[in-house]
Amino acid sequence: MHDTLILFGATGDLAQRYLFPSLLHLWRDRLLPPDFRVVAVGRQPMDDDGFRTWLRERHGEAAEDGDLDGLLARVQYRTVDLDDEAAIPNALGVYADRPCVSYLATPPDLFVPAARGLSAAGLLADPSRLVLEKPIGRDLASARAINAALRECLDESRIFRIDHYLGKAPVQNLLALRLGNTLMEAVWQHRWIKSVDILVAETAGVDGREGYYAGYGALRDMVQNHMLQLLALIAMEPPAALDADSIRDEKRKVLCALRPMEPGDVATDAVRGRYRAGVVEGDAVIGFDDRHADPRGPVETFVALQAWIDNWRWAGVPFRLVTGKRLAARTTEVVVSFKPVSHWLFERPRRERARANRLRMQLQPEETIELGLMGSLAASEWGAMELRPMTLDLPVSRSDQRRIAYERLLVDALRGNQTLFVRDDEVEAAWRWIDSVERAWSQAQAPVHDYPAGSWGPAEAAAFMPRTLLKSPRGGDA
Ligand code: BG6
């Protein structure tokens, strides 16, 4: 396990919200190596003590004193201006004494200069590693340019591209459920499955990240990475083994089989939206445009897409991907809807009203698995000819017992396990499809529909929403 972590973007939002809290938990649980050290790197001029005080102010309350002190004693701070080519070798060259993991929690335009500087400083020499946050570029061309430049600095086997959804335990459970059960293996294909819904609904808005978001929108911020990774895990062929490349080979094949979107598909397969002012969980919130008028044109905070995977397993099965900010409730879920039984024998309900089986896996905020089945009323006064829908319900775990996704990913990067990280060709395959959607939108002049914050998105997207949402108390607002 490598014991030096060089963290770029150490004063940024991600580092403060997730990376330092994750390191604290790992430290508390003795999961970091004995000689562990963190070199925090930022633009802001500060010395070691200044940065430790700054961290203490932000994390002091959340941690036991001993744990925080223990970690702080291992943190150093270096001010580096990445615009200056010699800055990294000058400031960080001294850390090349031990194999290290450099983590770029920075915007993508800094990836290449930072990697070149690290390479010049000897910090990417084998067996040192590089971790990159998403997004990798803004489209296929920029992602390719980044990947090519990285390859000049180090081998792909030492590049770790983060998609934090892969570090979430419920996402790994998706794989376990799918690949560890004969029942699933038998039916996991177009012959038995009618459609798959993947919904990532957030109540949070864009607040504070308008600058970044205006250049990306929900399509690039959420679909290109998290949602396509979920889709790939659900749709891939079972890998022969669970090593990193066996899984990543299969995910890439699925992403490559996504049918590019054409302008003529936009009317049926895509809806974009942007929230205006409204009420979310009882609080009045402003609209996206109230804080950000984008001179470059409209940006979506909601997207609903119907994706088609052109291969034998999934021919004709729509994968509906829906994500949005400021929606009625926070939920990430996958709903697999099965086809109706081939011959309906029962009197009631009539065939057309009988409910086909449905598997609903909620990944957050709670982790639950529900299987919708039909059962007989079977009371003494009824015959077994009358059926009703029933739910087999499996609460998997309480969310407060879960680790932050980044804890798992940090440990894997320090250990060198790439399974939960995204390979260059997967990223590029995902961008190829996203670029087709973006092109189709622009050629078809797809409008961005308004929706009130606190609803389930624009009315135009109602047909894309999983039917299971109608069950929830706030469902069907849009
Ligand atoms: C990030 C996006 O990658 O994922 C954010 O940039 C989004 O816009 C976040 O809010 C969602 O992550 P989670 O773990 O809260 O579902």
Side-chain angles (χ1 to χ4, degrees):
M1 196 170 187
H2 290 7
D3 57 14
T4 300
L5 177 69
I6 304 181
L7 179 58
F8 288 74
T11 55
D13 183 58
L14 181 79
Q16 294 311 316
R17 273 176 56 201
Y18 293 114
L19 302 180
F20 278 106
S22 297
L23 288 173
L24 256 170
H25 295 166
L26 294 174
W27 177 257
R28 178 197 63 200
D29 297 341
R30 312 277 179 267
L31 292 170
L32 294 170
D35 291 329
F36 186 64
R37 60 180 178 179
V38 183
V39 184
V41 181
R43 264 178 212 271
Q44 256 171 271
M46 258 189 275
D47 59 14
D48 291 348
D49 282 340
F51 184 67
R52 288 183 193 132
T53 309
W54 194 82
L55 276 182
R56 188 182 291 286
E57 281 163 11
R58 280 157 184 80
H59 304 287
E61 275 181 18
E64 298 284 326
D65 260 3
D67 297 334
L68 186 62
D69 291 343
L71 182 67
L72 290 184
R74 283 152 192 286
V75 176
Q76 308 169 30
Y77 183 84
R78 294 291 172 268
T79 308
V80 174
D81 176 5
L82 289 177
D83 292 332
D84 169 8
E85 261 190 34
I88 294 184
N90 287 344
L92 305 177
V94 49
Y95 299 108
D97 61 334
R98 275 148 58 178
C100 63
V101 172
S102 296
Y103 189 139
L104 305 182
T106 64
D109 52 326
L110 296 179
F111 290 169
V112 174
R116 289 190 176 137
L118 286 164
S119 178
L123 291 162
L124 296 183
D126 198 4
S128 287
R129 306 182 187 120
L130 184 66
V131 178
L132 305 150
E133 258 307 318
K134 66 150 262 264
I136 309 292
R138 200 185 165 273
D139 51 19
L140 177 58
S142 54
R144 274 188 176 149
I146 291 172
N147 286 336
L150 294 179
R151 270 194 293 272
E152 286 171 13
C153 300
L154 77 170
D155 188 75
E156 177 65 29
S157 65
R158 292 186 288 116
I159 302 177
F160 290 65
R161 292 178 197 76
I162 290 218
D163 184 310
H164 79 277
Y165 269 51
L166 296 181
K168 290 179 188 270
V171 173
Q172 288 149 42
N173 196 21
L174 199 67
L175 215 53
L177 189 77
R178 202 204 131 178
L179 301 176
N181 292 290
T182 320
L183 280 180
M184 299 301 162
E185 181 180 355
V187 295
W188 213 253
Q189 50 138 312
H190 69 104
R191 188 153 175 226
W192 307 112
I193 291 180
K194 185 162 165 248
S195 62
V196 178
D197 291 278
I198 302 175
L199 169 70
V200 181
E202 297 185 86
T203 49
V206 176
D207 313 321
R209 294 164 77 217
E210 283 82 3
Y212 150 78
Y213 204 84
Y216 285 79
L219 181 69
R220 292 183 169 92
D221 181 49
M222 294 294 288
V223 183
Q224 189 274 341
N225 34 78
H226 308 322
M227 300 197 72
L228 287 186
Q229 283 294 321
L230 289 175
L231 174 141
L233 290 175
I234 294 163
M236 71 182 184
E237 290 303 310
L242 284 182
D243 59 282
D245 278 338
S246 299
I247 294 186
R248 300 188 304 176
D249 286 346
E250 298 306 335
K251 284 195 290 166
R252 182 193 62 83
K253 285 185 213 161
V254 171
L255 296 169
C256 288
L258 282 169
R259 187 187 304 167
M261 191 169 286
E262 300 291 337
D265 302 328
V266 169
T268 49
D269 287 354
V271 175
R272 341 163 53 182
R274 182 173 40 204
Y275 64 83
R276 52 181 155 81
V279 177
V280 179
E281 294 177 324
D283 294 323
V285 297
I286 60 170
F288 181 75
D289 287 345
D290 299 334
R291 188 166 292 172
H292 191 88
D294 185 10
R296 279 177 293 187
V299 62
E300 74 288 342
T301 60
F302 173 99
V303 47
L305 297 168
Q306 196 155 232
W308 303 92
I309 300 171
D310 283 336
N311 65 17
W312 274 52
R313 187 181 285 272
W314 295 113
V317 180
F319 280 69
R320 287 183 290 265
L321 311 178
V322 177
T323 185
K325 298 220 178 269
R326 290 282 189 237
L327 296 185
R330 176 168 186 249
T331 180
T332 297
E333 52 190 76
V334 172
V335 181
V336 178
S337 301
F338 291 90
K339 292 188 171 167
V341 292
S342 42
H343 178 56
W344 188 251
L345 287 167
F346 305 93
E347 284 165 10
R348 282 201 278 170
R350 291 208 315 276
R351 181 188 175 87
E352 60 276 13
R353 296 193 39 217
R355 193 113 19 104
N357 298 145
R358 191 158 50 211
L359 176 68
R360 173 174 180 247
M361 292 164 278
Q362 190 182 34
L363 310 179
Q364 54 185 23
E366 300 304 323
E367 189 181 0
T368 55
I369 298 173
E370 286 172 14
L371 183 60
L373 301 166
M374 294 297 282
S376 160
L377 281 175
S380 51
E381 66 269 39
W382 303 102
M385 298 301 280
E386 183 152 350
L387 303 198
R388 62 172 173 165
M390 302 188 314
T391 306
L392 198 63
D393 210 338
L394 194 69
V396 180
S397 74
R398 298 220 346 256
S399 47
D400 56 5
Q401 292 166 336
R402 288 292 191 201
R403 286 189 176 276
I404 303 173
Y406 282 97
E407 295 178 40
R408 169 71 195 261
L409 297 174
L410 280 164
V411 168
D412 282 357
L414 292 168
R415 286 209 178 113
N417 180 355
Q418 282 189 310
T419 309
L420 300 178
F421 295 83
V422 186
R423 207 169 54 192
D424 54 355
D425 51 1
E426 282 181 81
V427 170
E428 292 176 17
W431 275 122
R432 195 171 297 115
W433 187 69
I434 294 294
D435 280 3
S436 82
V437 176
E438 190 64 54
R439 235 182 353 258
W441 276 350
S442 123
Q443 287 173 15
Q445 298 183 348
V448 181
H449 302 282
D450 267 4
Y451 61 95
S455 71
W456 283 109
E460 289 77 1
F464 291 75
M465 303 309 274
R467 285 180 55 95
T468 42
L469 268 191
L470 302 176
K471 264 183 20 185
S472 86
R474 274 169 299 188
D477 287 1

